[in-house]
Amino acid sequence: MNNTLTYRQNGDYLIPNLELSGQPVKPLGKYGRMRKTYLKEHRPILYSQLLLSEKLYPHLLETDETANRRLDQLMQALALEAGATESLKASDPMKWVGLMNSCKAQAEELILAELINS
């Protein structure tokens, strides 16, 4: 990293020429974007520290990946507990969809509490 700071003239002011190092271009998913919004609105100092140290994007990407893995685990466990089986899916699809929607809502509520809003 280049430690020499250069400036450009903008009217009467000298503006530093700041550049971020190369960041991966993988897009953030739903939970990464939710975490970013939470940090911006409720934890602005932490958000600024992560942003300025170039650790924000890796943090958001890790949060997104962890949340998706946790969602898969929770959905399997909650669907099993609720009785949303393949045989129910074949015999009563509307009931199965209702159970799965309920399971997803429960799983997302847990993820929000554990990973996003903490």
Side-chain angles (χ1 to χ4, degrees), residues 73-85 96 99-100 103:
Q73 292 170 349
L74 286 170
M75 283 296 293
Q76 288 176 2
L78 290 170
L80 182 64
E81 186 178 310
T85 61
W96 181 84
L99 287 173
M100 292 304 285
C103 291

Side-chain angles (χ1 to χ4, degrees), residues 5-18:
L5 193 56
T6 59
Y7 296 87
R8 62 178 157 39
Q9 186 83 29
N10 188 352
D12 292 337
Y13 301 99
L14 290 175
I15 309 293
N17 296 320
L18 301 175

Side-chain angles (χ1 to χ4, degrees), residues 31-32 34-35 38-39 63 67 111-118:
Y31 300 109
M34 289 172 79
R35 176 70 174 164
Y38 171 78
L39 289 173
T63 301
I111 288 169
L112 288 176
E114 292 175 357
L115 297 172
I116 307 301
N117 301 332
S118 61

Side-chain angles (χ1 to χ4, degrees), residues 3-104:
N3 289 334
T4 306
L5 193 56
T6 59
Y7 296 87
R8 62 178 157 39
Q9 186 83 29
N10 188 352
D12 292 337
Y13 301 99
L14 290 175
I15 309 293
N17 296 320
L18 301 175
E19 288 185 24
L20 293 173
S21 64
Q23 295 282 330
V25 190
K26 185 176 178 188
L28 290 175
K30 172 184 176 180
Y31 300 109
R33 292 189 310 269
M34 289 172 79
R35 176 70 174 164
K36 181 179 180 182
T37 301
Y38 171 78
L39 289 173
K40 254 184 172 176
E41 292 176 3
H42 301 284
R43 306 281 305 274
I45 295 172
L46 177 60
Y47 175 81
S48 295
Q49 288 173 339
L50 289 171
L51 182 64
L52 293 173
S53 65
E54 297 184 3
K55 294 178 184 176
L56 179 64
Y57 183 80
H59 170 74
L60 297 175
L61 193 59
E62 180 184 353
T63 301
D64 187 60
E65 291 169 353
T66 303
N68 282 315
R69 282 194 308 273
R70 184 84 172 114
L71 179 66
D72 291 341
Q73 292 170 349
L74 286 170
M75 283 296 293
Q76 288 176 2
L78 290 170
L80 182 64
E81 186 178 310
T85 61
E86 289 297 318
S87 60
L88 180 65
K89 183 178 179 181
S91 64
D92 192 355
M94 292 305 288
K95 183 176 181 181
W96 181 84
V97 168
L99 287 173
M100 292 304 285
N101 285 342
S102 176
C103 291
K104 181 150 188 181

